[in-house]
Amino acid sequence: MKALVITPTYNEKENIERLVGAVLRQSDSIELLIIDDNSPDGTGVIVEGLMQSEPRLHIIKRAGKMGLGSAYVAGFKYALGKDYDFIMEMDADFSHNPDDIPRLLEAAQENDLVIGSRYCCGINIINWPIERLLISYFASKYVRIITGMPIKDPTGGFKCFRRKVLEAIDLDNIHSEGYSFQIEMNYKAWLKQFRLKEISIVFTERVDGHSKMSKKIVYEAAWMVWKLRLMALLKAL
Ligand SMILES: Nc1nc2c(ncn2[C@@H]2O[C@H](COP(=O)(O)OP(=O)(O)O)[C@@H](O)[C@H]2O)c(=O)[nH]1
Ligand SMILES: [Mg+2]
């Protein structure tokens, strides 16, 4: 059983070295792929240095900041070109705790898509301003009402896909970024009747570095759910 953790990075020099260690120590069967968008702070250079002594660390370097969705699509294609059984998404800023990786993998033994969920048992978010928490929490409810998808945290980015899920989704037809990318992947997996499972995680706001999420990415998600619903009704997904 081989697993690949995919982590997109943009200016994560304060976090990256510690993150690499925290992921790779979980198990020898876990590898880590960094998708770096030519971070001006040199994150990619740090990763390349670490790769000299770490064969389980990989990098895809892209020319500039092109967003989270296309970064993951590049990572998924890389994974499908190799022999990984489980493919995970995780942020670089320790909002997702690398020590939760084994729990996600364990749940993926019996499920096809495991979602680390902030909202499946109460609200497990540490250090978010109340506005951000309320937007995220009600956005999750909004997504659920419009799409009908029974997921309490549809925008979360700590997940584990079984290989066959990514093989079944047309990756060239995923164009959303940010939060709507997460919704779109979940929705497509759900429509294809894969087994989805949420497990509870605690999300802790980053201590080092800065968030790159923007209002634009929230608005993108707001209309994307309607587009997804409509396309499903027209059987175009
Ligand atoms: N490669 C790449 N990574 C990105 C981009 N935008 C954000 N990231 C990374 O995606 C992860 C989540 O981003 P973050 O800014 O922490 O989002 P937030 O947690 O929603 O505030 C982090 O590892 C970022 O470095 C991007 O355009 N390209
Ligand atoms: Mg973050």
Side-chain angles (χ1 to χ4, degrees), residues 174-222:
I174 304 270
H175 300 294
S176 50
E177 298 294 342
Y179 301 122
S180 53
F181 168 76
Q182 306 298 357
I183 300 166
E184 184 170 2
M185 290 300 295
N186 294 341
Y187 192 54
K188 289 184 171 173
W190 180 64
L191 287 181
K192 290 186 187 291
Q193 312 207 318
F194 284 112
R195 293 165 300 174
L196 272 54
K197 166 90 177 163
E198 280 182 284
I199 66 166
S200 181
I201 56 149
V202 175
F203 180 103
T204 311
E205 180 51 1
R206 64 164 74 236
V207 177
D208 296 310
H210 301 283
S211 171
K212 287 99 205 169
M213 286 303 166
S214 62
K215 284 212 175 70
K216 185 172 148 239
I217 279 176
V218 176
Y219 296 140
E220 181 200 20

Side-chain angles (χ1 to χ4, degrees), residues 95-112:
S95 285
H96 303 143
N97 185 348
D99 294 339
D100 286 334
I101 290 173
R103 284 175 53 229
L104 266 81
L105 277 171
E106 194 191 321
Q109 305 303 314
E110 313 253 292
N111 295 283
D112 301 315

Side-chain angles (χ1 to χ4, degrees), residues 8-218:
T9 55
Y10 192 75
N11 288 347
E12 299 288 358
K13 77 167 190 277
E14 297 90 346
N15 295 308
I16 193 66
E17 183 163 4
R18 197 160 60 91
L19 183 90
V20 168
V23 171
L24 293 178
R25 72 159 185 258
Q26 300 297 328
S27 157
D28 286 344
S29 57
I30 294 178
E31 304 196 1
L32 174 61
L33 171 66
I34 302 294
I35 317 284
D36 186 66
D37 281 1
N38 199 13
S39 296
D41 75 352
T43 300
V45 180
I46 300 173
V47 174
E48 286 175 313
L50 298 169
M51 284 168 63
Q52 303 297 323
S53 56
E54 180 47 78
R56 288 187 289 129
L57 178 61
H58 314 282
I59 190 167
I60 291 178
K61 295 195 287 180
R62 306 198 303 171
K65 190 170 184 328
M66 288 185 269
L68 206 75
S70 63
Y72 274 123
V73 167
F76 293 159
K77 288 182 175 174
Y78 173 99
L80 294 181
K82 308 212 184 273
D83 61 344
Y84 299 104
D85 306 298
F86 299 97
I87 296 116
M88 302 184 67
E89 295 182 12
M90 199 180 84
D91 289 354
D93 57 359
F94 286 93
S95 285
H96 303 143
N97 185 348
D99 294 339
D100 286 334
I101 290 173
R103 284 175 53 229
L104 266 81
L105 277 171
E106 194 191 321
Q109 305 303 314
E110 313 253 292
N111 295 283
D112 301 315
L113 169 52
V114 177
I115 300 167
S117 179
R118 299 165 290 186
Y119 305 129
C120 74
C121 308
I123 299 183
N124 293 328
I125 295 185
I126 295 175
N127 278 346
W128 262 10
I130 188 76
E131 318 82 82
R132 187 162 180 196
L133 196 139
L134 288 173
I135 290 172
S136 170
Y137 184 73
F138 286 104
S140 302
K141 292 211 177 295
Y142 168 86
V143 171
R144 195 165 166 176
I145 291 165
I146 293 163
T147 62
M149 179 166 60
I151 294 181
K152 291 193 169 152
D153 188 359
T155 59
F158 193 13
K159 338 206 306 204
C160 181
F161 296 88
R162 200 175 261 277
R163 181 185 181 92
K164 66 179 177 190
V165 178
L166 298 181
E167 284 172 343
I169 292 175
D170 179 4
L171 296 175
D172 289 322
N173 204 17
I174 304 270
H175 300 294
S176 50
E177 298 294 342
Y179 301 122
S180 53
F181 168 76
Q182 306 298 357
I183 300 166
E184 184 170 2
M185 290 300 295
N186 294 341
Y187 192 54
K188 289 184 171 173
W190 180 64
L191 287 181
K192 290 186 187 291
Q193 312 207 318
F194 284 112
R195 293 165 300 174
L196 272 54
K197 166 90 177 163
E198 280 182 284
I199 66 166
S200 181
I201 56 149
V202 175
F203 180 103
T204 311
E205 180 51 1
R206 64 164 74 236
V207 177
D208 296 310
H210 301 283
S211 171
K212 287 99 205 169
M213 286 303 166
S214 62
K215 284 212 175 70
K216 185 172 148 239
I217 279 176
V218 176

